[in-house]
């Protein structure tokens, strides 16, 4: 099931309007020096949070054009299968999402990026998690059994909950899978362990 984060966009907009209106009123009630201190503390806090969130990013480099073209063809070599993990959605898009195919490869992707592994037939566990977990772990996993010639595309997204976020995975098929791979950038794995 795909996450519906619409309510968080609406709540963020309401909070922004509320903060702008009532923040100005509150700032007028403070003396000049006190208002400046409040502003500086708030600004430093926001910047520190952004730096902390993005500091765990270790996204691999962009794949070479010929590797990307081969991946977008979605045709595995004889005797192998392909597993794609595609990240779409805007929530937390600049924060890295870890992708691990156990025993094969691991790496990170951001919004509108994908990784691909060509693997031998067998059973594999695909795990996703945010690079920087919040209050609770954000892990999701899918166990796949692939045969020679199979192409599996997993759509990975972020679902925002009241106090934390989790990653979600959904297998997509046919034209939707082809569009997802065609419209995103391929990223190289940061670590390979076999497969």
């Amino acid at each position: 099931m795909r996450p519906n984060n619409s309510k968080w966009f609406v709540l963020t907009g309401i909070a922004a309007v509320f903060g702008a209106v009532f923040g100005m009123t509150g700032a007028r009630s403070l003396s000049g020096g006190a208002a400046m201190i409040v502003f500086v503390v708030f600004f430093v806090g926001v910047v520190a949070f952004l730096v902390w969130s993005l500091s765990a990013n270790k996204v691999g480099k962009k794949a070479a054009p010929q590797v990307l073209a081969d991946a977008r063809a979605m045709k595995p070599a004889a005797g192998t299968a392909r597993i794609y993990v595609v990240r779409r959605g805007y929530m937390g898009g600049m924060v890295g999402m870890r992708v691990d195919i156990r025993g094969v490869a691991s790496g990170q992707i951001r919004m509108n990026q994908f990784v691909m592994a060509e693997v031998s037939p067998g059973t594999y566990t695909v795990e996703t998690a945010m690079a920087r977990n919040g209050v609770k772990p954000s892990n999701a996993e899918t166990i796949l059994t692939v045969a020679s010639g199979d192409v599996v595309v997993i759509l990975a997204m972020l679902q925002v909950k009241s106090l934390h976020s989790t990653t979600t995975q959904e297998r997509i098929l046919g034209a939707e899978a082809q569009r997802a791979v065609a419209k995103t950038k391929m990223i190289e794995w940061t670590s390979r362990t076999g497969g």
Side-chain angles (χ1 to χ4, degrees), residues 44-107:
V44 167
V46 168
V47 170
F49 175 75
L50 290 174
V51 168
W52 176 80
S53 293
L54 298 176
S55 66
N57 283 0
K58 291 179 178 58
V59 176
K61 65 181 183 175
K62 212 163 80 169
Q66 64 272 23
V67 175
L68 175 61
D70 177 60
R72 285 186 172 156
M74 300 179 80
K75 293 180 181 167
T80 68
R82 285 186 176 179
I83 301 172
Y84 294 77
V85 180
V86 181
R87 183 171 177 200
R88 300 300 300 264
Y90 295 102
M91 296 303 286
M94 295 310 294
V95 178
M97 180 185 285
R98 289 184 288 125
V99 178
D100 182 55
I101 301 176
R102 285 191 205 143
V104 177
S106 61

Side-chain angles (χ1 to χ4, degrees), residues 88-168:
R88 300 300 300 264
Y90 295 102
M91 296 303 286
M94 295 310 294
V95 178
M97 180 185 285
R98 289 184 288 125
V99 178
D100 182 55
I101 301 176
R102 285 191 205 143
V104 177
S106 61
Q108 278 189 25
I109 51 177
R110 290 192 298 240
M111 175 181 60
N112 296 325
Q113 296 179 339
F114 76 91
V115 286
M116 183 271 292
E118 198 149 45
V119 297
S120 302
T123 301
Y124 298 91
T125 301
V126 179
E127 184 177 12
T128 54
M130 295 312 292
R132 180 76 73 189
N133 278 323
V135 178
K136 296 181 180 179
S138 59
N139 304 45
E141 70 176 40
T142 298
I143 298 173
L144 303 168
T145 299
V146 293
S148 176
D150 283 352
V151 174
V152 175
V153 180
I154 295 174
L155 178 65
M157 298 180 77
L158 181 67
Q159 180 175 22
V160 179
K161 299 193 174 182
S162 56
L163 296 175
H164 68 287
S165 299
T166 59
T167 60
T168 65

Side-chain angles (χ1 to χ4, degrees), residues 18-32:
F18 183 83
V21 171
F22 291 101
M24 296 297 274
T25 305
R28 283 190 206 121
S29 68
L30 297 173
S31 67

